[in-house]
Amino acid sequence: MFRIFIFLAAACAAQLHAQEPPPLTVDRDSAVQRALYGNRGLLAARYSIQRASARTIDAGAWSNPSLNLSGASDFAFSNEGEYTWSVGLEQRFPVTDRLRRLRNIASLEVQLAELEIRDAERLLAYEVEQIFDRVAFIDTELTLYQEQIDLNQKFAAFLQKKIDRAEASTLDRGQIKVSMAALKQKVFQLERQRFGQLVHLRELLGLELDQGIEIQPDAADAQPHTLPEFRQAQLDGHPAYQLRQQLADIANEHTALAQAERWQDIAVEVFYENGLANNAIQDPLTNNVYVGAEREQFIGIGLSIPLPLHSQNRGEVISRRARERQLQAEAGALGFRLQNEAAEMREEYAEVDEQIADYDTAVMNQATDNLRQLEDAYAIGQIDLTTVFRAQERLLELRLDRALLETERQDLLTQWRYITASNVTAMAVEEEVGDE
């Protein structure tokens, strides 16, 4: 019975394993592109473009005509049988460019929605690239810590031989064990951090929960020593700056609309009136005049012209102009901030790049030469192997410090690409969204 249970459990595990999709391998560029197309929050946000486009259908259309019906009778007064009724069709006509301004605003709001999506793509690409930077550093740390663990294991074996010959104390071996245990705990912590970063990346890419994901390391290309300058002319292509400019353009149209709304639409009515009234009637045969009922019919035209005597919408015009100036100032402030941040990142990047070069020359090369000399001295019996192990351990620590500088430089490069909006392709992503 126990064997049958083991067989069924193994079969179920094999079936579940067979149903797991293979892990998805992505590099930095492919992950950004996949996030731009697959991120679920971004897919939902793209419906704003469809909403704005739908509002352009009726924007600037004439108001609907009115069907006017009226009737009157004298039954409550003299009750002489007089009555009248009329039916008319009334249409309002704008006397300003109000409708054109409304069409312009609707069109600009579509462009605004598209720019909002482009800026959201920039933020999303930055978040994805940050994960790649963190994972790359974690992988470097894991490699160096594993090398330290291997070195400590060799050192522990060497100490054991010396202890067996009564040439070393067991306290030294205990210190090595404590150091190895601390290193292993650090490795476990880094592996948990790496797993958490991959979970976040899977969410950003819009992948299913059971979809595994693996990161392909960046190509070992030489990083640039300097970053290009971010000039004023490049602001025109920056999504965040374009967004502010678009808001200022919309505010300008709203100002013109407020000015146009000082004159309300005129109303023109064409009506037909029919009724029965008691009038003086002259008999054509006798020329006698008497009072009698006579049917009357009229076709008329009515005109209604609102006069801007009390309210000229001046407060709204002033408010709109202030809003327009505010948005233009905000666009200028944003452009100033982006250029300053890009210049700051550029200077910091150059300083870190120079620091890495100095570190390689003054520290890493010297430490490597010292280790080589110690190894040669040990080969001829001048020093103990313990000194060699300590030098190797110190070199690994220096390599970890250098990896921190590399990570800082890569982080500055990623921030600079985000600030200058060069982390998103020039072509905006267009995602077809079906109608509900």
Side-chain angles (χ1 to χ4, degrees):
M1 184 67 182
F2 181 74
R3 291 181 179 179
I4 295 175
F5 175 76
I6 294 297
F7 175 77
L8 293 176
C12 292
Q15 181 68 18
L16 291 175
H17 180 73
Q19 293 177 354
E20 293 180 358
L24 175 66
T25 303
V26 292
D27 59 10
R28 185 183 295 261
D29 292 336
S30 64
V32 169
Q33 291 301 320
R34 191 176 186 94
L36 296 182
Y37 282 97
N39 183 268
R40 306 194 179 192
L42 197 57
L43 289 174
R46 286 196 177 100
Y47 279 101
S48 62
I49 300 177
Q50 194 177 64
R51 291 173 51 202
S53 298
R55 286 193 291 268
T56 62
I57 297 175
D58 297 320
W62 282 8
S63 60
N64 292 326
S66 300
L67 179 64
N68 299 332
L69 301 174
S70 64
S73 173
D74 67 343
F75 74 95
F77 300 100
S78 59
N79 197 19
E80 296 176 345
E82 293 184 326
Y83 68 88
T84 181
W85 58 267
S86 67
V87 56
L89 191 65
E90 182 182 77
Q91 175 66 59
R92 293 187 174 273
F93 296 92
V95 295
T96 61
D97 60 349
R98 180 178 62 86
L99 299 184
R100 182 172 65 86
R101 296 297 180 182
L102 289 173
R103 287 192 294 267
N104 291 344
I105 291 173
S107 178
L108 290 174
E109 286 180 345
V110 175
Q111 300 174 25
L112 178 66
E114 294 172 349
L115 288 173
E116 288 175 342
I117 296 302
R118 282 196 61 200
D119 199 45
E121 291 172 355
R122 179 178 67 100
L123 300 175
L124 178 61
Y126 177 53
E127 198 169 357
V128 171
E129 290 202 46
Q130 280 186 311
I131 292 178
F132 271 78
D133 293 343
R134 297 189 192 108
V135 171
F137 180 63
I138 290 174
D139 289 342
T140 301
E141 284 187 297
L142 287 172
T143 300
L144 294 176
Y145 282 133
Q146 189 58 52
E147 290 183 15
Q148 285 188 344
I149 291 174
D150 296 339
L151 180 62
N152 285 345
Q153 288 176 343
K154 294 178 182 179
F155 190 34
F158 167 71
L159 282 178
Q160 184 61 45
K161 293 179 181 179
K162 296 190 68 174
I163 291 172
D164 294 341
R165 296 194 301 266
E167 297 177 355
S169 171
T170 56
L171 294 177
D172 294 333
R173 184 180 59 185
Q175 290 294 330
I176 292 296
K177 288 183 178 180
V178 171
S179 177
M180 289 177 59
L183 288 173
K184 289 180 179 178
Q185 290 299 319
K186 184 65 176 178
V187 168
F188 293 152
Q189 180 183 2
L190 290 173
E191 288 176 345
R192 289 197 303 270
Q193 292 178 4
R194 191 181 194 278
F195 177 77
Q197 293 295 328
L198 292 181
V199 170
H200 189 199
L201 179 62
R202 183 173 57 199
E203 176 187 351
L204 294 179
L205 269 57
L207 302 177
E208 298 293 338
L209 297 179
D210 59 346
Q211 174 67 63
I213 186 171
E214 292 294 337
I215 286 182
Q216 183 177 348
D218 295 334
D221 297 332
Q223 297 286 5
H225 296 294
T226 59
L227 297 176
E229 186 177 355
F230 186 56
R231 301 183 181 277
Q232 175 72 28
Q234 296 174 267
L235 283 173
D236 293 336
H238 197 289
Y241 186 77
Q242 288 178 330
L243 187 62
R244 291 292 180 182
Q245 291 284 12
Q246 191 74 7
L247 287 172
D249 292 342
I250 293 176
N252 184 23
E253 289 293 329
H254 275 290
T255 301
L257 177 63
Q259 292 174 331
E261 287 177 342
R262 289 182 299 181
W263 285 88
Q264 300 179 14
D265 298 345
I266 64 173
V268 177
E269 180 185 13
V270 177
F271 62 90
Y272 167 77
E273 185 175 345
N274 190 339
L276 188 66
N278 292 324
N279 296 325
I281 302 174
Q282 183 178 15
D283 191 337
L285 297 178
T286 63
N287 292 327
N288 294 329
V289 178
Y290 64 94
V291 177
E294 183 180 17
R295 183 173 299 277
E296 296 179 339
Q297 300 183 40
F298 301 94
I299 292 180
I301 297 178
L303 180 64
S304 175
I305 302 177
L307 300 177
L309 298 179
H310 303 293
S311 175
Q312 297 183 4
N313 213 28
R314 288 174 295 185
E316 185 67 19
V317 171
I318 295 174
S319 175
R320 292 293 183 181
R321 284 175 177 168
R323 174 61 175 167
E324 182 182 350
R325 290 193 293 268
Q326 178 186 6
L327 289 172
Q328 289 174 347
E330 289 179 358
L334 176 62
F336 181 76
R337 178 174 63 82
L338 290 174
Q339 284 191 287
N340 278 348
E341 289 182 357
E344 180 184 358
M345 294 294 103
R346 186 169 177 265
E347 292 178 3
E348 289 186 17
Y349 183 90
E351 291 175 358
V352 173
D353 185 80
E354 184 179 357
Q355 184 180 359
I356 291 175
D358 293 341
Y359 195 89
D360 289 339
T361 303
V363 179
M364 295 300 299
N365 292 343
Q366 184 64 41
T368 303
D369 291 341
N370 290 344
L371 178 59
R372 187 180 301 109
Q373 294 175 11
L374 291 174
E375 290 174 345
D376 294 340
Y378 170 75
I380 60 178
Q382 292 181 347
I383 60 173
D384 189 77
L385 186 59
T386 303
T387 305
V388 178
F389 277 122
R390 294 304 182 191
Q392 290 176 341
E393 187 176 22
R394 178 55 182 162
L395 182 60
L396 288 174
E397 293 174 355
L398 293 175
R399 288 172 60 191
L400 183 59
D401 292 339
R402 189 189 186 283
L404 283 171
L405 289 175
E406 287 279 3
T407 301
E408 184 179 356
R409 181 173 64 175
Q410 178 60 47
D411 183 61
L412 288 171
L413 176 60
T414 301
Q415 288 186 56
W416 181 86
R417 296 181 66 235
Y418 155 71
I419 291 171
T420 61
S422 59
N423 62 335
V424 181
T425 55
M427 293 296 295
V429 177
E430 296 182 358
E431 185 73 19
E432 293 293 336
V433 182
D435 294 332
E436 291 291 339

